[in-house]
């Protein structure tokens, strides 16, 4: 399998640094091909701005808020889509898109800061996953390819993260919110949105207090999870282009009747999510059901 | 009222730019004092790195993953806390902390990218809201001041954002997830976590297709919302230091029995959130109930 590992931590001599080393060793031992984007080491630029669109400035944009050039006015979504189409995005962005195209699976590895990815990683998503590449594509029937389909269809995606808190406080009724729902913007809104199969996140709890023993345990758990990377059952989110949603993209009333909340967008959310490796085929979106 | 308006959009000549102009005009007309942090215009550095801690390098850190200097090893949480305590954080961070201290209310204004704030704003949170300033404080009884208490207690916080999608698709059963839950990492995990009262977010839908009429309507709606800024009832999240959570920070079984999901962390979440201005006192955390 070809795996892109995106690492967003400022210090390699850290718990997360050692976790990545263990993870990369496991993947190598299993014969996978791995490429690493170590965003801090690369000096990754996180901010979307006009410099992302070299040579832009003469195009005619019509959108109101999304960066293209209307004169010199930046309309982000349009500038990104045109830049992608015309191969005029900045070289650092094009290089990351090429890595994603190459990969069968993507690992996003970061410490959880303010319940989301550090800015450097958020900026990787903002700049790399542009319209026309990751989303905004149409299928044969003219339907938007999104949520279960899109530019990243056929790929698997895994979050590896660390938090200071204990596991119970990130559980289904824990004060921080259930970790699967706190990570919904990434799992559902980014991975699944672009067609990638979202695997259950790998979380290290109590990271602030981890001693050598805890770090070794976490590394062993990560190795075990990565062993299942090609086969683990993804989170069973619902497909947009299915009978589950109506024309307004609202869940049909007969499904999860009376319920609201992020959990309604998973099939069989109340059932125990037992791993069923046999049901999963390497990254095919159908494997999510 | 003293209001800090943090703006995170690369183009002032945009729907969001015009919204901010309308908003600032409304606040001025009402006699409020306003300061603006226009992050793109400021060239805000979003990445937490060793440059945030000038003069560090000799301190002894004990944490494993959080940037202080152990030798030259960066342990983020510790380096931030020590830097704050010793007034040795970089000047751009200190300036933003001073603005937050000054403000009675904070507005975070951004286009929603990948269901969260643009990297430049995420990096404002990552770098400015450090331990010892925004969180990690203790009360008289030695309890951690968090979720309804903390460094930002007494302040109100409002998200102003825009999305391309239609409103129904961000509703309680909409495919993107209910906007209040998609924004949970900010509303609950950042505002409420640091003690600030989280106001219901102001969202402009269909932003990609907004014509002049739609932009004017959005500006009028925003003005009306800002008129209520000092009095609007905040989201009624639960307090950490209350009887609602057990020692593991799990919601007690008699509350919302059998339910899970982010909604359980709101009091009376199922009831219609009718505005009750009389019940709200300028930013006092008690106003949240």
């Amino acid at each position: 399998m070809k795996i892109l590992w995106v690492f967003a931590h400022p210090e390699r001599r850290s718990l997360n640094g050692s976790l990545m080393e263990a993870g990369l060793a496991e993947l190598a031992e299993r014969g996978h091909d791995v490429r690493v984007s170590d965003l801090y080491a690369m000096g990754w630029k996180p901010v979307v701005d006009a410099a992302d669109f070299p040579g832009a400035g003469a195009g005619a944009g019509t959108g109101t808020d999304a960066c293209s050039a209307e004169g010199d006015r930046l309309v982000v979504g349009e500038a990104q889509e045109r830049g992608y189409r015309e191969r005029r995005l900045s070289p650092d962005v094009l290089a990351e898109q090429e890595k994603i195209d190459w990969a069968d699976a993507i690992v996003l590895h970061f410490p959880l800061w303010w319940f989301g990815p550090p800015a450097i990683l958020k900026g990787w998503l903002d700049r790399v996953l542009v319209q026309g590449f990751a989303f905004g594509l149409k299928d044969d029937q003219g339907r938007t390819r999104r949520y279960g389909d899109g530019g990243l269809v056929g790929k698997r995606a895994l979050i590896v993260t660390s938090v200071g808190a204990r596991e119970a406080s990130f559980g289904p009724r824990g004060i921080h919110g259930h970790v699967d729902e706190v990570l919904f913007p990434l799992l559902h809104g980014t991975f699944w949105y672009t067609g990638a199969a979202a695997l259950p996140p790998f979380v290290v709890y109590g990271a602030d207090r981890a001693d050598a023993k805890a770090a070794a345990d976490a590394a062993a758990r990560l190795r075990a999870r990565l062993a299942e990377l090609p086969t683990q059952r993804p989170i069973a989110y619902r497909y947009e282009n299915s009978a589950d949603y109506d024309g307004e993209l609202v869940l049909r009333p007969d499904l999860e009747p009376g319920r609201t909340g992020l959990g309604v967008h998973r099939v069989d959310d109340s059932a125990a999510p037992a791993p069923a490796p046999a049901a999963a085929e390497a990254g095919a979106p159908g494997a999510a059901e």
Side-chain angles (χ1 to χ4, degrees), chain A:
Chain A
M1 214 177 183
K2 290 175 286 190
I3 298 156
L4 172 59
W5 192 296
V6 183
F7 183 67
H9 193 287
E11 179 57 80
R12 289 288 287 261
R13 296 163 296 178
S14 62
L15 174 63
N16 278 299
S18 66
L19 280 173
M20 178 166 68
E21 280 179 35
L24 296 179
E26 180 70 27
L27 295 175
E29 285 167 21
R30 293 182 171 272
H32 297 301
D33 291 332
V34 182
R35 293 166 75 178
V36 174
S37 288
D38 180 339
L39 300 183
Y40 271 91
M42 293 157 67
W44 178 258
K45 166 183 177 282
V47 176
V48 174
D49 59 21
D52 284 0
F53 315 106
T62 56
T64 53
D65 207 23
C67 296
S68 75
E70 276 187 34
D72 60 346
R73 192 167 80 86
L74 189 61
V75 184
V76 177
E78 292 180 19
Q80 289 188 321
E81 184 171 26
R82 184 181 315 117
Y84 176 73
R85 196 172 59 234
E86 300 175 357
R87 308 294 295 163
R88 284 199 289 111
L89 295 172
S90 64
D92 59 344
V93 170
L94 293 173
E96 296 306 301
Q97 290 173 342
E98 186 272 324
K99 292 177 194 171
I100 292 172
D101 276 335
W102 167 86
D104 303 310
I106 299 164
V107 175
L108 299 187
H109 181 184
F110 56 96
L112 196 71
W113 290 352
W114 293 113
F115 300 94
I120 202 169
L121 177 55
K122 182 56 170 52
W124 187 85
L125 302 172
D126 291 347
R127 296 181 65 227
V128 174
L129 299 183
V130 305
Q131 188 160 349
F133 169 65
F135 69 101
L137 306 167
K138 301 283 186 184
D139 70 11
D140 292 346
Q141 301 166 58
R143 300 179 305 184
T144 299
R145 297 175 56 195
R146 197 170 58 175
Y147 289 121
D149 197 3
L152 273 62
V153 73
K155 303 182 192 296
R156 320 191 118 220
L158 173 67
I159 290 170
V160 173
T161 195
S162 65
V163 300
R166 288 167 294 180
E167 183 161 6
S169 63
F170 269 105
R173 289 166 59 86
I175 194 169
H176 302 302
H178 190 200
V179 71
D180 288 8
E181 300 202 346
V182 170
L183 292 170
F184 193 81
L186 281 171
L187 294 169
H188 183 267
T190 308
F191 295 161
W192 189 238
Y193 186 96
T194 59
L199 299 175
F202 177 85
V203 185
V204 177
Y205 297 96
D208 292 349
R209 296 171 297 282
D211 55 16
K213 168 74 165 59
D217 288 350
R221 278 206 306 123
L222 178 59
R223 280 175 169 263
R225 276 295 305 275
L226 292 172
E228 296 174 1
L229 185 62
T231 55
Q232 190 180 26
R233 187 172 170 177
I235 298 172
Y237 290 125
R238 298 177 186 279
Y239 290 85
E240 173 166 338
N241 292 324
S242 69
D244 291 358
Y245 296 98
D246 68 17
E248 296 291 309
L249 299 178
V250 173
L251 190 64
R252 291 186 186 279
D254 54 308
L255 298 170
E256 308 278 356
R259 284 187 63 209
T260 59
L262 303 180
V264 303
H265 303 291
R266 294 170 75 147
V267 178
D268 248 343
D269 188 59
S270 57
E281 290 302 323
E289 302 204 327

